[in-house]
Amino acid sequence: MMPGDSGKGIALILVTLGCSMNAENMDFEICGRLDHEDMVEISGVVASSRNPDILWVANDGGKERIWAVLSTGELVMEVDYDSKVSDVEDLALGQAPDGTPALFIADVGDNNAD
């Protein structure tokens, strides 16, 4: 990301790479753009295990919200959660203790070395 960038370029590339790639020359097709005003620094993206057309995305930083978007960038759903986070950096799929599918939010950032 270049100085002064809003972070939307990163989100565009992450969404784009999921569309189609030619491994030989790394050509890719732009299939969507995230233009939601709250998605300013996407740092976590994971494809849904239940809905193949859905990508879950999270902002870098301490916001208690994730979004479900289509590969076109279209917003499908906003999900707020009840936990104070300081610096979300990634998302991952896994299983809850009862074996049901779960989405994990990684609060692992520490830009200030605190």
Side-chain angles (χ1 to χ4, degrees):
M1 184 164 53
M2 300 300 291
D5 256 350
S6 67
K8 290 182 184 176
I10 290 173
L12 171 63
I13 295 218
L14 291 172
V15 171
T16 300
L17 292 178
C19 297
S20 65
M21 286 183 61
N22 178 335
E24 292 177 11
N25 60 14
M26 298 300 286
D27 288 337
F28 60 91
E29 168 190 344
I30 296 174
C31 63
R33 184 177 305 261
L34 296 173
D35 280 329
H36 192 280
E37 64 186 30
D38 290 336
M39 295 180 201
V40 295
E41 193 176 347
I42 298 297
S43 65
V45 178
V46 67
S48 171
S49 61
R50 291 185 177 180
N51 301 294
D53 296 334
I54 298 292
L55 299 170
W56 288 101
V57 298
N59 258 341
D60 186 11
K63 297 167 184 67
E64 292 84 17
R65 176 177 293 162
I66 57 174
W67 298 274
V69 297
L70 298 176
S71 62
T72 60
E74 180 183 345
L75 178 64
V76 175
M77 179 188 317
E78 295 182 17
V79 178
D80 293 324
Y81 52 92
D82 293 331
S83 178
K84 181 62 182 148
V85 296
S86 60
D87 198 356
V88 172
E89 293 292 344
D90 205 0
L91 299 172
L93 295 177
Q95 289 186 344
D98 66 1
T100 59
L103 177 65
F104 293 91
I105 300 168
D107 182 7
V108 296
D110 190 11
N111 294 340
N112 297 324
D114 293 333

